[in-house]
């Protein structure tokens, strides 16, 4: 929710850290083609360790990971990814009930948005959607797997409506195969524009109308094309969460059995994504990348805006919309170039689309790492506001869960000590995500190129790109931004 309204809550990020001149110039080389998920806040702190050390250390960690993996035998990596620890089994009998409960909660939130407090830090709707759902559920998906297929507010109502109307599970019409998930791409772009560019996405009533309309359109699309088909091709949250869930350490097989696996192991079992799937995943990265970049002094300076006298969102609607599109185009172009160069170095005759469709899965660990770094302070502070608001959704003095009068500890992200541990946690998440991405990409390289030398060569351009991600992501954590 950070900083979405001009008069509402300010962006609460990780802190502003001065960057050394050399590190700053080096980071600018990678500014435009790099997806990033983290930004700083309106408070300034001084790092105890120069930022340049973090930048160099992060790049070094990713580079060393590539060199070590290039020397390991491919069968060792294959055995590593295949290890599983069985847990227990459960069925889908309660899925409809859970979804109906979720829908009931969603309906209450919509009513709270329309009739509750106008303050986005007191109304539960923006707090739940931007903090608990978009920030929190994404991280839960990345750890525990596909919880969203149970929690979404559409499955239960769709099942009831389809029985009453006599519509089959497959819907009345079929989506053409060539359409892929392009509807989800367009809807995700609309979501990103509303979150990042719209002048007041935190306004409870405005958000209630948008969320309510989207829920209605989604149910109608599920009745027309089937819940399963629309969830895979058109409902952008389901598409996004299903991609993120492939990184999770919890795995569920077709018979309902649960087991533990290595982070990212399920990614290597994925089939190549079509062009629409590649575009969707890169759009997800580039949109949050722009969220961080658009608030930096660097970006605002490009359009002659004084960041110390930020005029508000209405003054940057045009530049913001342009930047969102350009960020996606640049990221897609650089990624495809890295894949093409890798194929040329490996002398591969495989189609570029197949290689890109596989290797784009290696971006998921980076997406989760930047998501965690970007939203850490948001979850720590706005998560408390959400707990308080849920106890009194209509601002009537209720205390349903005993949390309405809880003391908000905003100081958890303030001060030099907080800045030190927050920045180190965020930096550690980013570096770890890139190292895991290299590991996953190397597994895909063996799948594309069985010969060790060719597999290593094919990964060199993509590894350079990942090093650029690391450098820029750490720079973005440290650079000043508007509040």
């Amino acid at each position: 929710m950070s900083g979405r309204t001009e008069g509402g809550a300010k962006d609460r990020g990780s802190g502003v850290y001065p960057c050394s001149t050399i590190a700053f110039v080096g980071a600018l080389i990678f500014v435009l083609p790099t997806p990033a998920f983290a930004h700083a806040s309106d408070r300034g702190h001084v790092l105890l360790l120069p930022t340049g050390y973090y930048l160099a250390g992060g790049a070094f960690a990713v580079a060393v990971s590539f060199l070590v993996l290039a020397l390991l035998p491919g069968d060792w990596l294959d055995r590593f990814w295949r290890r599983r620890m069985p847990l227990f089994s459960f069925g889908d009998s309660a899925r409809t009930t859970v979804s109906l409960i979720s829908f009931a909660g969603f309906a209450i939130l919509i009513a709270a948005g329309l009739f509750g407090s106008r303050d986005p830090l007191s109304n539960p709707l923006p707090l739940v959607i931007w903090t608990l759902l978009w920030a929190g559920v994404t991280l839960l998906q990345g750890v525990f797997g596909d919880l969203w297929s149970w929690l979404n507010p559409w499955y239960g109502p769709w099942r009831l409506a389809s029985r009453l109307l006599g519509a089959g599970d497959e819907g009345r019409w079929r989506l053409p195969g060539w359409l892929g998930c392009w509807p989800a791409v367009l809807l995700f772009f609309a979501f990103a524009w509303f979150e990042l560019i719209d002048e007041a996405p935190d306004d409870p009533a405005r958000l209630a109308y948008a969320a309510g309309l989207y829920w209605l359109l989604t149910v109608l699309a599920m009745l027309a094309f089937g819940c399963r088909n629309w969830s895979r091709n058109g409902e952008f949250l389901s598409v996004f969460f299903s991609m993120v869930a492939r990184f999770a350490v919890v795995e569920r097989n077709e018979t309902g059995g649960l087991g533990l696996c290595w982070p990212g192991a399920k990614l290597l079992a994925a089939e190549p994504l079509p062009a629409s799937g590649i575009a969707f995943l890169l759009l997800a990265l580039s949109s949050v990348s722009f969220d961080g970049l658009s608030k930096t002094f660097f970006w605002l300076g490009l359009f002659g805006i004084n960041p110390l006298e930020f005029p508000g969102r209405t003054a940057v609607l045009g530049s913001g919309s342009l930047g969102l599109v350009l960020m996606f185009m640049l990221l897609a172009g650089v990624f495809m170039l890295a894949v093409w160069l890798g194929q040329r170095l490996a002398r591969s005759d495989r189609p570029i689309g197949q290689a890109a469709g596989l290797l784009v899965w290696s971006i998921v660990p980076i997406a989760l790492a930047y998501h965690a770094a970007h939203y850490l302070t948001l979850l720590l502070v706005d998560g408390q506001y959400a707990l308080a608001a849920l106890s009194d959704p209509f601002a009537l003095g209720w205390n349903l869960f005993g949390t309405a009068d809880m003391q908000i500890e905003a100081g958890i992200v303030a001060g030099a000590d907080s800045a030190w541990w927050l920045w180190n946690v965020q930096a550690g998440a980013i570096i770890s995500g890139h190292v895991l991405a290299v590991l996953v990409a190397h597994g895909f390289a063996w799948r594309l190129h069985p010969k060790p030398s060719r597999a290593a060569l094919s990964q060199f351009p993509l590894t350079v790109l990942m090093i650029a991600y690391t450098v820029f992501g750490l720079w973005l954590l440290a650079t000043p931004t508007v509040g």
Side-chain angles (χ1 to χ4, degrees):
M1 186 178 77
S2 48
R4 292 185 179 83
T5 55
E6 295 179 17
K10 288 188 178 181
D11 197 4
R12 288 168 292 278
S14 58
V16 177
Y17 308 88
C19 182
S20 65
T21 303
I22 295 177
F24 179 77
V25 174
L28 288 185
I29 298 175
F30 305 106
V31 162
L32 291 179
T34 307
F37 283 66
H39 58 79
S41 75
D42 50 338
R43 287 186 178 272
H45 301 293
V46 178
L47 282 179
L48 301 181
L49 184 64
T51 308
Y53 291 177
Y54 285 88
L55 299 178
F60 180 75
V62 176
V64 169
S65 302
F66 167 77
L67 294 176
V68 171
L69 290 172
L71 298 176
L72 289 175
D75 58 344
W76 184 91
L77 287 174
D78 185 63
R79 291 196 303 270
F80 173 83
W81 288 118
R82 289 180 181 274
R83 292 177 181 175
R84 299 290 190 273
M85 179 185 294
L87 295 176
F88 55 87
S89 301
F90 69 93
D92 290 336
S93 57
R95 184 182 174 191
T96 300
T97 302
V98 173
S99 179
L100 287 172
I101 294 173
S102 177
F103 166 68
F106 175 77
I108 294 173
L109 289 174
I110 294 297
L114 294 174
F115 307 110
S117 171
R118 299 297 88 195
D119 181 2
L121 288 180
S122 298
N123 193 297
L125 179 63
L127 290 166
V128 169
I129 288 184
W130 300 127
T131 303
L132 300 186
L133 173 62
W134 183 236
V137 173
T138 300
L139 298 181
L140 291 177
Q141 289 275 125
V143 176
F144 299 108
D146 194 11
L147 302 175
W148 179 248
S149 62
W150 286 61
L151 295 176
N152 80 74
W154 296 292
Y155 178 79
W158 163 80
R159 180 160 289 280
L160 291 180
S162 63
R163 294 296 181 268
L164 292 173
L165 298 175
D169 290 350
E170 298 300 321
R172 297 183 181 276
W173 298 283
R174 289 184 177 274
L175 290 169
W178 58 264
L179 192 61
C181 64
W182 286 115
V185 174
L186 295 176
L187 288 170
F188 189 91
F189 181 85
F191 168 81
W193 189 94
F194 180 75
E195 180 197 11
L196 305 178
I197 312 300
D198 185 79
E199 59 186 19
D202 272 350
D203 177 70
R206 192 182 188 92
L207 182 58
Y209 285 120
L213 178 62
Y214 181 69
W215 182 90
L216 179 60
L217 291 177
T218 299
V219 168
L220 293 176
M222 287 180 172
L223 290 172
F225 304 110
C227 179
R228 182 182 180 89
N229 291 333
W230 188 250
S231 295
R232 287 186 171 184
N233 299 282
E235 204 287 289
F236 73 90
L237 284 173
S238 296
V239 175
F240 175 75
F241 285 142
S242 66
M243 290 181 172
V244 170
R246 284 188 172 272
F247 182 79
V249 297
V250 178
E251 182 180 47
R252 186 169 186 251
N253 57 34
E254 295 180 355
T255 61
L258 292 181
L260 295 179
C261 60
W262 292 110
K266 291 183 291 184
L267 290 171
L268 289 174
E271 295 299 319
L273 285 173
S276 59
I278 297 173
F280 184 92
L281 190 48
L282 294 177
L283 176 61
L285 291 173
S286 63
S287 63
V288 189
S289 168
F290 183 70
D291 185 15
L293 182 62
S294 64
K295 298 179 179 68
T296 62
F297 286 19
F298 168 80
W299 173 262
L300 295 173
L302 293 178
F303 299 94
I305 297 175
N306 183 354
L308 300 179
E309 298 177 357
F310 186 65
R313 283 193 168 206
T314 54
V316 293
L317 283 176
S319 61
S321 301
L322 176 64
L324 185 61
V325 174
L326 287 180
M327 182 65 75
F328 167 70
M329 295 176 63
L330 288 168
L331 174 58
V334 172
F335 173 77
M336 294 302 296
L337 177 62
V339 173
W340 179 79
L341 288 175
Q343 292 295 97
R344 291 295 299 271
L345 289 174
R347 299 177 182 176
S348 174
D349 57 355
R350 288 179 179 267
I352 185 68
Q354 182 185 22
L358 280 175
L359 291 172
V360 75
W361 284 114
S362 66
I363 302 298
V364 172
I366 299 175
L368 276 171
Y370 280 114
H371 194 94
H374 181 68
Y375 289 113
L376 176 60
T377 55
L378 183 75
L379 284 169
L380 289 175
V381 178
D382 281 11
Q384 299 178 64
Y385 282 105
L387 291 178
L390 285 170
S391 276
D392 188 14
F394 298 98
L396 296 176
W398 298 351
N399 195 4
L400 300 176
F401 307 109
T403 58
D405 299 322
M406 67 180 292
Q407 182 69 33
I408 306 300
E409 298 292 341
I412 194 173
V413 297
D417 291 338
S418 296
W420 185 86
W421 75 262
L422 282 171
W423 208 87
N424 278 278
V425 169
Q426 291 169 318
I430 288 176
I431 294 172
S432 299
H434 285 81
V435 170
L436 284 170
V438 171
L439 186 63
V440 171
H442 200 74
F444 280 124
W446 275 95
R447 184 169 164 182
L448 291 167
H449 315 286
K451 291 186 178 180
S453 59
R454 291 189 176 184
L457 284 173
S458 71
Q459 289 306 290
F460 182 73
L462 194 59
T463 302
V464 172
L465 186 58
M466 289 180 180
I467 292 175
Y469 290 172
T470 308
V471 172
F472 180 68
L474 295 176
W475 170 79
L476 197 58
L477 281 174
T479 193
T481 66
V482 298

